[in-house]
Amino acid sequence: MKWLMLISLFFNSAAYAEEAKVSKQDFKCYVDTTIDEQVVFYRWQENKAASLMASLPASRAAENERGQSAYIKDVYECVALKENFSSLKAQKLDSVTLR
């Protein structure tokens, strides 16, 4: 009987561990900040990406090349890291942004 309970406990914990694994994906977002327009990078769980993108305005962005920190005013576009932005201006800025 003890073995049955132990095996049952093992399989339950293994199933829980599989549910806890959620894949993450890298994203880049073209945003307008209090200083200038920037491309910022994030790593989010895929199932929470839409809500996290929506929560970006009023959050702090990474420091720019002069060491100034800024707050995000507006999010123009977020795409997967390997995808291209639809805006030509965002594509140009992305090509000069360090990874």
Side-chain angles (χ1 to χ4, degrees):
M1 188 67 174
K2 288 182 183 178
W3 288 105
L4 183 60
M5 289 177 56
L6 185 60
I7 291 172
S8 174
L9 181 64
F10 173 75
F11 283 117
N12 284 340
S13 63
Y16 178 74
E18 283 298 317
E19 289 178 12
K21 291 181 184 176
V22 177
S23 61
K24 290 189 174 186
Q25 185 176 2
D26 293 321
F27 290 90
K28 59 185 177 184
C29 297
Y30 176 50
V31 299
D32 184 22
T33 69
T34 53
I35 297 174
D36 57 4
E37 293 175 343
Q38 296 180 9
V39 174
V40 291
F41 302 94
Y42 298 98
R43 183 170 180 83
W44 292 323
Q45 292 179 354
E46 289 182 34
N47 60 344
K48 294 183 180 179
S51 64
L52 291 170
M53 286 178 202
S55 69
L56 285 179
S59 65
R60 193 174 194 169
E63 293 181 354
N64 66 6
E65 63 276 358
R66 293 172 292 224
Q68 300 170 315
S69 61
Y71 288 90
I72 296 173
K73 295 191 300 187
D74 196 14
V75 179
Y76 296 126
E77 184 178 6
C78 288
V79 296
L81 185 62
K82 297 193 185 289
E83 294 179 14
N84 292 324
F85 289 111
S86 60
S87 161
L88 288 176
K89 190 173 181 182
Q91 289 176 10
K92 288 179 184 177
L93 185 59
D94 185 33
S95 68
V96 298
T97 302
L98 297 176
R99 303 275 188 275

